Amino acid sequence: MLKRGLASATAGMGVLRLVAASWWLVAFAGQLVFGAYILATYGSATLHDNAAAWNRVWPTGYLPGQPRGNVIVMVHVLLASLVVIFGSLQMIPVLRQRAPWFHRWNGRIYISVAIAVGVAGLAMLATGRSFVGGSQNTGVAVNGVLLLMCAVLAWRRARQRDFIAHRRWALRVFVLAAGVWLFRIGLAAWIAVNGGIAGFDPRTMQGPALFTLAMGEWALPLLVVEAYLRVERGAVAAGRYAVAVLLTALTAATAFGAYRATLGMWWPAM
């Protein structure tokens, strides 16, 4: 009876974790391309003192006579490429188990960089230097605030050695830190599915489609993480299989969006 109960409590766990790992691999690959695009476009422009390159796709990327604002923009954009690498490494179980010292130091750098990126992003919104249009500002701002809150809580739980709670907050940090990337692959997928621009004005970057994507960049990932954590702790196998099916669909959608964004946005600019 005890063995049957234990088997029921762990049924579906392997499938759930396998599908979650598959989504992580897709997200890691997609974010690496995005990070490479950031370094190739904005990093190269900074090294070669080419201010005009910042404004090719971002009209307020560099503004003469605003050194403080320009530095904030550079901090937000360039450090975002590091968030991709450090965050993905934190999600690898074997590194946590076999190299805990690396996990600790990488985590400290990751959380610090994520906080810096979040603060810089909110400062950009407050000063009108954001990349997005007005319809996305609310969603992006909420994403930034939640990122800072979750980062602080992940850090505190680690220092308190409450590693179970730390893992939950760290997972939330990971998906929130990917918000900018999720918005862009969502936009690329939306345009591909509709066969062109639909639901927003490309000149002003405003419209209901962009508002929905901006809100979804944090709301949907957090809901999925919460569902994953609940079924992981629960005793009902059906819940784990249901979330595994959901993650399978999201993995396919993520791969499609990342592919379309790479072809249409990032690869041509590198």
Side-chain angles (χ1 to χ4, degrees), residues 14-44:
V15 173
L16 179 66
R17 290 178 175 168
L18 177 62
V19 175
S22 299
W23 180 86
W24 173 83
L25 282 172
V26 170
F28 185 33
Q31 289 185 78
L32 280 180
V33 176
F34 183 47
Y37 158 76
I38 292 173
L39 293 176
T41 303
Y42 300 108
S44 176

Side-chain angles (χ1 to χ4, degrees), residues 172-189:
R172 295 175 182 123
V173 171
F174 180 73
V175 296
L176 288 169
V180 171
W181 176 74
L182 289 171
F183 175 86
R184 280 159 176 74
I185 67 170
L187 176 60

Side-chain angles (χ1 to χ4, degrees), residues 85-106:
I85 299 172
F86 294 132
S88 295
L89 291 175
Q90 284 299 96
M91 298 297 111
I92 302 177
V94 67
L95 286 179
R96 294 198 301 270
Q97 297 164 2
R98 299 188 179 182
W101 61 269
F102 176 84
H103 181 76
R104 286 195 298 271
W105 280 104
N106 186 71

Side-chain angles (χ1 to χ4, degrees), residues 2-269:
L2 179 59
K3 290 182 178 179
R4 186 180 301 174
L6 290 173
S8 177
T10 58
M13 190 67 75
V15 173
L16 179 66
R17 290 178 175 168
L18 177 62
V19 175
S22 299
W23 180 86
W24 173 83
L25 282 172
V26 170
F28 185 33
Q31 289 185 78
L32 280 180
V33 176
F34 183 47
Y37 158 76
I38 292 173
L39 293 176
T41 303
Y42 300 108
S44 176
T46 302
L47 287 175
H48 294 91
D49 197 23
N50 184 8
W54 280 79
N55 297 342
R56 286 175 186 166
V57 294
W58 189 347
T60 61
Y62 174 84
L63 294 178
Q66 296 190 21
R68 183 180 300 176
N70 293 334
V71 169
I72 290 174
V73 170
M74 284 191 286
V75 166
H76 177 77
V77 173
L78 297 179
L79 289 185
S81 62
L82 299 181
V83 169
V84 172
I85 299 172
F86 294 132
S88 295
L89 291 175
Q90 284 299 96
M91 298 297 111
I92 302 177
V94 67
L95 286 179
R96 294 198 301 270
Q97 297 164 2
R98 299 188 179 182
W101 61 269
F102 176 84
H103 181 76
R104 286 195 298 271
W105 280 104
N106 186 71
R108 289 165 182 161
I109 297 171
Y110 173 55
I111 292 295
S112 300
V113 172
I115 289 174
V117 169
V119 170
L122 292 173
M124 287 163 52
L125 286 174
T127 57
R129 295 289 298 274
S130 65
F131 179 81
V132 299
S135 58
Q136 299 118 275
N137 284 345
T138 299
V140 173
V142 172
N143 190 108
V145 171
L146 289 175
L147 172 61
L148 294 177
M149 292 172 58
C150 291
V152 171
L153 287 168
W155 188 300
R156 290 185 60 184
R157 295 298 177 265
R159 288 183 61 84
Q160 294 167 355
R161 305 190 68 78
D162 185 352
F163 297 121
I164 293 177
H166 164 71
R167 174 176 173 267
R168 295 171 189 162
W169 288 112
L171 287 174
R172 295 175 182 123
V173 171
F174 180 73
V175 296
L176 288 169
V180 171
W181 176 74
L182 289 171
F183 175 86
R184 280 159 176 74
I185 67 170
L187 176 60
W190 171 260
I191 293 173
V193 168
N194 285 280
I197 293 181
F200 69 97
D201 186 340
R203 294 169 300 176
T204 62
M205 291 299 287
Q206 296 191 44
L210 296 183
F211 175 80
T212 302
L213 286 171
M215 298 300 288
E217 75 178 46
W218 58 267
L220 178 60
L222 285 181
L223 286 172
V224 173
V225 168
E226 187 61 28
Y228 179 89
L229 291 173
R230 284 181 178 273
V231 299
E232 186 183 47
R233 299 192 303 267
V236 181
R240 287 192 277 273
Y241 288 119
V243 173
V245 171
L246 172 62
L247 282 173
T248 300
L250 290 174
T251 299
T254 301
F256 176 70
Y259 171 72
R260 297 301 306 188
T262 298
L263 287 185
M265 299 180 187
W266 304 327
W267 190 259

